[in-house]
Amino acid sequence: MCGITGWVDHTRDLSGQGPLLTAMAATMAPRGPDGAGVWLSPHAALGHRRLALIDLATGGQPMTPAGPAGPAGSAGPADMAPPAVLVFSGEVYNHGELRAELARRGHAFRGRSDTEVVLRAYLEWGEGAFDRLVGMYAFALWDTRTETLLLVRDRLGIKPLYWTRRGDGVIFGSEPKAVLAHPEVPAEVDAEGLAALFTVAIKPPGQGVYRGLDEVRPGHVVRVDRDGVRHRRYWELTTAPHTDDLPTTVAEVRRLLGDAVGSQLESDVPLIALLSGGIDSSAIVALAARRLAADGGGRLATYALDFTGSETDFKPDALHVSRDAPFVRAVAGHVGTDHTDVSVETTSLVGELGPALRARDMPGVGDLDVSLLLLFREVRRHAAVALSGEGADDFFGGYPWFRAEAERPTDNFPWSAGVKDRNAQLSPQLREALDLDAYVADAYRTALAEVPRLDGESGADRRMREVFHLQITRFLPFLLDRKDRMSMANGLEVRVPFCDHRLVEYLWNVPWEFKRTGGQEKGLLRRAVADLLPEKVMRRPKSGFPFGHSPAYLDAIRRTVRTIVADPAAPVLDLVNVPAVRAMVDSDAWFSGDFTPPPWLPRLIQLDQWLREYGVRVVL
């Protein structure tokens, strides 16, 4: 996994912008601790930071057909310029098959990297190459023959890619920090960006938070040439009747998931799996361990997160019904993994809110981010690649709101339907410029209009298709972004087999009654892996990622917030309802355990840090 950045402008000479591109790429050094490179030409400048996982010797970037550009490469004379230059972040899991096909067509390869395969696939098939890729990726390709930039993002949006228009071109990067390092890009936020910050998993795909800084939409290509900027969608879900019976569906899910896990085990550096003791991560662990054993790869290493004192501090809530530890031990013992528990002191979470903020470049979800950041920090001491169960809840219907919507449909985002007055958290002056309830209602109407319908589908089946589409296009991107940012802040690549687009395409048309077979959430997944796991894990209800419960942590959060609201110079005071915050500090209302809203006070701390550290200007 890597960090990419660049600047394209058809009216300026960028060939002397090496120091700036180096600085932009350097902001993402944690994403790519193993190498750096820059490629320069009159109208395009590309930068790269490398995390070396496959083909450690010859996979450097920016990459041309002749090889890596090196620390400060350039196009050279016009008649000697390479046909295309690529900066790539991610993994293409079918690069072996594509390499073989391209070799039959006459292409010669210097090494084994998937980056070289992507570049040569483009030279062979043009933009049609993107339809052939299986994996998680975000890349920028500069075609020197037509002076065209292509920004491409994987189908589900697993890997990030931000961009902004400047002059007659664009500036882009894997993270906002790379783009903000350009002197022409100010750190500004407007009402729309604030609305995205004050809500969770609501903003439309492609909308950023910083003013003028957008994301490449999942499954899209952004094409930049002398005629301007155009967007093209190269992948979308196709709606059709599901004709397989339940046993056939179970078998196909097992096959597709097994293939996805197997394809994601390739690595030239140590690889581990994350284990929470839930059905999602446990299924990945069991399938990965079985494939490694069959291939003579030895025992799989697994890692789990727990908080010190959780035996006494844990309190069940809507999304956390049981402690992970007993189930983790059951899976590790049953499957036979080399297991390690990562124990975190909850009081340390407060001090890590800053690093989590800087990993995202914007406020996130407080300690829910921090706990993941700390897990990945420890894992990175032992491995550079990890497998995760992210995505199973979104495709199989694991969250509690799926069943609730099937039985009592709402007219809202299911994870946000219980929020009564979103504007209550805003300052009086901000409330005059921003209506969060109206923002959510408008975003919901937009999202609903995007759902690809099935003719004749009605009732619960129609609503559940809506819910799954909302989940895939709004909630899942929030989770994937969190996973990417917290992992890459530690130089750790996290792979997500459940997000293999072939499995997603199949599950999209599987009816709700099949997904809930046996009367339990993710019943279809449970049945597909029933032979691999202990019975207690098969029966365990959905329980969310752990976060801090200890009284010491809650007191530390209260003290920090009291310090902020007592400081008249605190920039966050212009945005929030201060009396409501003070009342919240003195109660437990901010720590209800519900997802909507997630614990508010840790987010408020990050909001204040963000305004200070990033020098963000609010434009209303």
Side-chain angles (χ1 to χ4, degrees):
M1 203 57 57
C2 305
I4 67 173
T5 190
W7 182 12
V8 165
D9 194 312
H10 291 92
T11 62
R12 299 198 229 184
D13 185 355
L14 306 181
S15 55
Q17 296 296 333
L20 175 57
L21 265 292
T22 298
M24 291 167 65
T27 65
M28 301 180 294
R31 291 188 81 93
D34 300 325
V38 168
W39 184 87
L40 303 170
S41 72
H43 300 305
L46 306 179
H48 187 264
R49 295 289 310 199
R50 187 185 186 203
L51 175 61
L53 303 177
I54 296 173
D55 191 5
L56 308 187
T58 64
Q61 300 181 47
M63 184 172 285
T64 72
S74 63
D79 59 349
M80 297 181 62
V85 187
L86 177 66
V87 282
F88 178 90
S89 170
E91 300 289 343
V92 172
Y93 301 124
N94 65 332
H95 69 94
E97 300 96 298
L98 291 174
R99 181 192 309 276
E101 184 174 355
L102 288 164
R104 289 193 294 270
R105 292 173 175 265
H107 289 265
F109 290 86
R110 300 180 315 278
R112 298 183 298 106
S113 77
D114 52 352
T115 304
E116 187 179 8
V117 171
V118 173
L119 179 57
R120 292 202 165 271
Y122 174 76
L123 295 176
E124 178 67 31
W125 296 302
E127 292 188 39
F130 309 152
D131 298 317
R132 299 170 179 257
L133 306 180
V134 176
M136 57 177 188
Y137 46 82
F139 59 86
L141 191 148
W142 175 248
D143 190 320
T144 64
R145 300 164 298 186
T146 60
E147 293 203 316
T148 298
L149 174 72
L150 300 174
L151 301 176
V152 186
R153 197 171 179 202
D154 66 64
R155 295 167 178 83
L156 275 299
I158 303 169
K159 303 313 298 178
L161 186 53
Y162 293 84
W163 68 285
T164 186
R165 297 192 191 206
R166 282 298 181 274
D168 289 327
V170 300
I171 301 166
F172 64 88
S174 294
E175 297 182 5
K177 57 172 63 72
V179 182
L180 293 173
H182 193 288
E184 296 182 16
V185 183
E188 296 177 338
V189 63
D190 56 18
E192 190 174 48
L194 287 175
L197 282 179
F198 279 101
T199 56
V200 174
I202 299 296
K203 71 181 180 69
Q207 176 192 324
V209 168
Y210 288 95
R211 187 183 186 206
L213 182 59
D214 296 321
E215 296 182 64
V216 178
R217 294 189 62 168
H220 279 68
V221 178
V222 175
R223 182 185 180 92
V224 184
D225 56 25
R226 291 183 180 273
D227 294 327
V229 178
R230 284 166 288 175
H231 304 256
R232 180 178 70 84
R233 187 173 191 165
Y234 72 90
W235 179 82
E236 59 185 323
L237 291 166
T238 301
T239 300
H242 184 73
T243 57
D244 290 345
D245 61 15
L246 181 58
T248 304
T249 301
V250 170
E252 184 65 1
V253 167
R254 173 65 172 266
R255 182 189 71 81
L256 288 168
L257 182 58
D259 288 350
V261 171
S263 70
Q264 297 186 29
L265 290 173
E266 181 184 6
S267 176
D268 292 342
V269 296
L271 175 148
I272 64 94
L274 305 173
L275 178 59
S276 70
I279 190 67
D280 311 341
S281 64
S282 300
I284 298 300
V285 164
L287 289 166
R290 177 173 287 197
R291 175 62 70 91
L292 284 175
D295 294 344
R299 287 161 62 95
L300 177 68
T302 53
Y303 286 77
L305 173 75
D306 199 6
F307 289 101
T308 55
S310 65
E311 299 90 341
T312 56
D313 293 335
F314 179 80
K315 297 176 183 177
D317 60 41
L319 284 179
H320 303 83
V321 299
S322 57
R323 289 183 62 238
D324 288 347
F327 299 93
V328 167
R329 288 193 294 268
V331 174
H334 184 86
V335 175
T337 70
D338 289 330
H339 184 72
T340 301
D341 287 315
V342 177
S343 185
V344 173
E345 293 282 350
T346 53
T347 51
S348 69
L349 296 179
V350 180
E352 295 290 347
L353 287 170
L357 164 70
R358 290 184 283 276
R360 275 192 186 266
D361 292 320
M362 62 192 72
V365 284
D367 46 298
L368 297 174
D369 283 349
V370 171
S371 56
L372 201 59
L373 182 77
L374 293 177
L375 170 63
F376 291 153
R377 185 181 297 168
E378 177 61 26
V379 168
R380 186 59 176 91
R381 295 176 54 212
H382 309 278
V385 184
L387 299 180
S388 166
E390 199 79 85
D393 287 312
D394 307 271
F395 307 127
F396 288 93
Y399 292 105
W401 51 75
F402 280 95
R403 181 179 179 182
E405 289 290 329
E407 296 174 352
R408 295 178 300 280
T410 63
D411 190 22
N412 206 329
F413 294 102
W415 52 91
S416 185
V419 182
K420 303 301 181 185
D421 181 8
R422 295 175 181 83
N423 296 315
Q425 61 188 309
L426 306 181
S427 66
Q429 58 267 40
L430 185 55
R431 228 173 295 167
E432 294 178 2
L434 180 61
D435 185 344
L436 292 179
D437 292 322
Y439 170 80
V440 172
D442 183 65
Y444 178 70
R445 286 191 296 269
T446 300
L448 214 58
E450 298 171 358
V451 179
R453 306 289 183 177
L454 180 64
D455 290 343
E457 199 168 50
S458 61
D461 289 334
R462 178 182 175 87
R463 177 54 180 166
M464 293 313 292
R465 188 175 294 279
E466 293 174 349
V467 171
F468 275 103
H469 199 265
L470 295 172
Q471 190 79 22
I472 293 170
T473 61
R474 300 307 193 272
F475 196 86
L476 179 63
F478 154 75
L479 294 177
L480 293 175
D481 186 67
R482 169 177 172 251
K483 180 84 72 180
D484 173 85
R485 226 51 62 82
M486 297 306 116
S487 61
M488 294 310 297
N490 292 291
L492 176 72
E493 173 177 291
V494 177
R495 299 175 180 174
V496 282
F498 281 111
C499 292
D500 185 295
H501 77 272
R502 297 162 298 185
L503 175 61
V504 174
E505 289 172 342
Y506 185 76
L507 288 170
W508 168 242
N509 289 305
V510 173
W512 171 244
E513 63 177 313
F514 279 16
K515 290 180 179 176
R516 197 171 168 78
T517 186
Q520 188 173 8
E521 85 276 356
K522 296 178 287 190
L524 175 59
L525 174 60
R526 295 173 192 275
R527 186 163 169 179
V529 296
D531 60 312
L532 300 175
L533 299 170
E535 183 64 25
K536 67 181 295 184
V537 174
M538 293 298 301
R539 295 195 309 268
R540 186 191 185 193
K542 164 70 182 175
S543 193
F545 191 79
F547 61 93
H549 289 76
S550 79
Y553 166 67
L554 304 185
D555 288 343
I557 289 289
R558 287 188 173 97
R559 288 194 302 272
T560 304
V561 173
R562 287 191 181 105
T563 299
I564 291 173
V565 298
D567 178 7
V572 76
L573 301 186
D574 292 332
L575 303 181
V576 300
N577 184 338
V578 176
V581 169
R582 288 196 175 104
M584 202 177 287
V585 168
D586 295 329
S587 74
D588 288 328
W590 62 278
F591 198 75
S592 64
D594 294 330
F595 184 83
T596 51
W600 168 235
L601 294 186
R603 300 184 69 212
L604 183 145
I605 296 170
Q606 287 192 315
L607 182 59
D608 188 68
Q609 289 178 318
W610 179 61
L611 294 168
R612 293 175 189 263
E613 292 185 21
Y614 282 71
V616 178
R617 188 169 77 96
V618 178
V619 181
L620 298 176

